[in-house]
Amino acid sequence: MRAPSAELPICFRDVTVEAHGVTILDRITLALGAGSPTVLIGPNGSGKTTFLRIAMGLTLPSAGTITWGGRENVAPVRRAIVFQHPVMLRRTAAENLRYALKVSGRIPREVHDARIAELLSLVGLSGFGDRPARRMSGGEKQRLALARALARDPVVLFLDEPSASLDPAAAKAVEDVIRAVTARNIKIIMSTHDLGSARRLAGDIIFMHHGRVVEAGAASTFFTAPQSDEAKIFISGDLLV
Amino acid sequence: MDPSVSAFQLLLTGDPALLGIVQLSLIVSMSAVGVATLVGVPIGACIALTHFPGRTTVIVVFNALMGLPPVVAGLAVFLLLSRSGPLGPLGLLFTPTAMVFAQVVLVTPIIAALTRQTIEDLWGEYRDELTAMNVGAVRRVGTLIWDGRFSLITIVLAGFGRAAAEVGAIIIVGGNIDGFTRTMTTAIALETSKGDIPLAIGLGVVLMAIVVLVNALAWAIGRAARQYAG
């Protein structure tokens, strides 16, 4: 069982992000605790990616505060993120993982090889270790990015549209990895605009629109009894503008 | 005898004069490129990864210095090393060391400017990933240099090409002294003016072979990079 973490809960208090006069996140207040995956949904441009970057600590809010385990300005030692378009280092798949292991410094060097093999196996890339990472397919890169994030032994893992633009087989492979990660008690916070993916993976839902959190709560409640008109429109598949 | 036939005879028989000139040329240019790499790569990486007042001006100056005329570089080094210059007491003028110095002045801006561009582009690509991985400043620089190594090697080879082919700077600070500071390019200029065409051609062939070899090496490195790193 994982030890209690200093990373959780992640608390937003009146967090606002503005850029070039445009409000990207609008006075968001909520708390993200341990447990089942939290999925951010909403149409494109609703602020999901910025929310994840703020929660990861990559972007500073224009106003408001964010705390990790009750503290501000905590370095992302036990947090990891997989971007929508992950950038692979100019090395082999195995060397990408070794780099993350070295940087994290949490695992002795003599067991790096074993850990790399384990991570590649977890994401279904056994035998791909010697491949140049940048020449892998989109789905393979996404899974390798997941493995690289896991190499840092995170308590919280942020995923930005992890299955966007993947074919169904690749998307399923990524979702399988996400389930395996969840089973290891790693908190998943992911964004998607794919309602099917959200239904399959989410324990909690945060529904965003125009930079605001419109609804937040249990996924089962959200999908069966949405409270807001915007959520009803989005779930029905109509265009939400 | 036909001058080109004589030239190849010199090459095939390993003419000592020709070999000595080739050897000195390689030593001077390789030393200069080695020093310029040690100086230019950190300068380029530093400019790429830091922000300071006047950064744009520094970038423009380094870019402009890539086109520094060799004779101007030679003149500047000559003034530094001449008896009345600030480094005059070292007695380096008209020595191979002075030639290395002049070529370092010529090549360092090329390596620094191109390194800056390479590292800056790579940093733009890697910034989010390395920040998310909480990579410290020193490791960050090391990562960018390592991952940009194939481009950096090509840059160093370009610097070598510049050093090996130039004549203006080294003829001013080296003096083209027979058996001491005479290189391929200065010798070609001299032998041509003297009418010793076979030696000039022989040296020209060697110089061209080196240039072709350097370019082939750059191409092979690029190909290996694509295969290994994608």
Side-chain angles (χ1 to χ4, degrees):
Chain A
M1 196 71 178
R2 206 164 269 276
S5 159
E7 303 281 352
L8 295 170
I10 301 172
C11 296
F12 286 63
R13 291 194 192 89
D14 282 326
V15 169
T16 295
V17 176
E18 292 176 342
H20 311 295
V22 177
T23 302
I24 300 167
L25 292 184
D26 191 4
R27 288 165 294 158
I28 289 178
T29 298
L30 55 76
L32 300 162
S36 53
T38 297
V39 176
L40 282 79
I41 58 170
N44 284 337
S46 57
K48 302 187 295 293
T49 296
T50 304
F51 183 104
L52 291 179
R53 291 181 65 89
I54 287 274
M56 177 67 193
L58 292 175
T59 302
L60 292 173
S62 310
T65 57
I66 178 162
T67 58
W68 293 269
R71 294 177 300 149
E72 288 187 60
N73 303 319
V74 181
V77 176
R78 302 295 300 277
R79 302 191 292 272
I81 188 167
V82 176
F83 297 101
Q84 184 174 355
H85 302 291
V87 174
M88 292 296 132
L89 303 182
R90 287 164 169 77
R91 304 156 195 231
T92 63
E95 289 306 313
N96 266 270
L97 301 185
R98 193 182 307 281
Y99 182 84
L101 288 169
K102 279 184 189 168
V103 170
S104 77
R106 298 184 62 81
I107 296 174
R109 284 180 181 233
E110 54 268 25
V111 293
H112 279 186
D113 285 340
R115 181 72 175 136
I116 288 166
E118 182 195 344
L119 287 165
L120 287 172
S121 169
L122 176 70
V123 299
L125 291 176
S126 294
F128 284 63
D130 291 333
R131 295 242 186 124
R134 295 168 72 89
R135 300 182 79 180
M136 295 168 88
S137 71
E140 289 164 353
K141 274 186 196 167
Q142 197 65 251
R143 282 183 283 154
L144 181 61
L146 270 163
R148 191 172 64 183
L150 292 171
R152 305 188 62 237
D153 194 21
V155 171
V156 189
L157 178 57
F158 300 96
L159 308 173
D160 189 7
E161 302 275 5
S163 55
S165 69
L166 298 184
D167 62 65
K172 183 181 181 307
V174 169
E175 288 189 10
D176 288 343
V177 175
I178 293 171
R179 287 190 193 90
V181 170
T182 303
R184 295 180 171 210
N185 292 321
I186 296 170
K187 174 68 179 180
I188 297 278
I189 301 171
M190 62 175 271
S191 69
T192 183
H193 60 264
D194 177 356
L195 279 172
S197 178
R199 283 180 203 272
R200 289 189 293 274
L201 296 170
D204 295 304
I205 288 284
I206 296 173
F207 174 61
M208 299 184 67
H209 189 221
H210 288 160
R212 291 179 299 111
V213 172
V214 180
E215 283 190 44
S220 54
T221 308
F222 176 81
F223 284 114
T224 53
Q227 301 298 302
S228 63
D229 290 339
E230 288 135 307
K232 287 172 188 167
I233 292 169
F234 188 70
I235 291 170
S236 72
D238 286 341
L239 291 174
L240 180 62
V241 292
Chain B
M1 188 184 290
D2 186 277
S4 57
V5 175
S6 302
F8 278 100
Q9 271 183 348
L10 287 174
L11 286 172
L12 294 173
T13 56
D15 179 69
L18 186 140
L19 289 182
I21 290 169
V22 171
Q23 187 183 16
L24 178 67
S25 300
L26 290 176
I27 289 171
V28 167
S29 294
M30 289 168 82
S31 304
V33 170
V35 173
T37 301
L38 290 175
V39 175
V41 169
I43 288 175
C46 188
I47 296 170
L49 298 174
T50 56
H51 290 274
F52 53 87
R55 179 176 180 272
T56 305
T57 306
V58 171
I59 290 171
V60 170
V61 167
F62 269 102
N63 286 349
L65 287 176
M66 285 200 294
L68 181 67
V71 286
V72 174
L75 178 62
V77 173
F78 179 89
L79 293 174
L80 279 174
L81 300 181
S82 64
R83 194 170 294 171
S84 56
L87 301 178
L90 296 175
L92 295 175
L93 199 58
F94 305 128
T95 67
T97 307
M99 295 154 70
V100 171
F101 192 170
Q103 291 199 342
V104 167
V105 171
L106 267 181
V107 175
T108 299
I110 295 172
I111 292 181
L114 296 178
T115 297
R116 197 272 309 163
Q117 189 65 58
T118 298
I119 298 292
E120 198 169 294
D121 290 348
L122 205 52
W123 177 232
E125 194 183 344
Y126 281 14
R127 181 198 307 266
D128 277 347
E129 297 285 359
L130 298 189
T131 307
M133 281 196 256
N134 200 28
V135 176
V138 174
R139 189 189 288 268
R140 194 181 298 169
V141 173
T143 301
L144 293 170
I145 289 176
W146 178 252
D147 276 35
R149 61 196 179 281
F150 296 113
S151 299
L152 294 178
I153 289 171
T154 305
I155 289 167
V156 170
L157 291 176
F160 179 77
R162 164 81 154 167
E166 78 86 20
V167 60
I170 51 172
I171 208 163
I172 291 175
V173 300
N176 200 16
I177 302 166
D178 190 17
F180 187 52
T181 59
R182 184 160 298 169
T183 65
M184 284 188 281
T185 51
T186 59
I188 288 170
L190 178 70
E191 299 305 331
T192 304
S193 65
K194 279 166 52 185
D196 188 352
I197 301 302
L199 183 56
I201 291 176
L203 289 165
V205 168
V206 175
L207 192 56
M208 283 305 299
I210 290 170
V211 170
V212 170
L213 189 67
V214 166
N215 277 282
L217 209 55
W219 179 84
I221 288 167
R223 188 163 181 266
R226 281 191 297 278
Q227 282 185 342
Y228 172 72

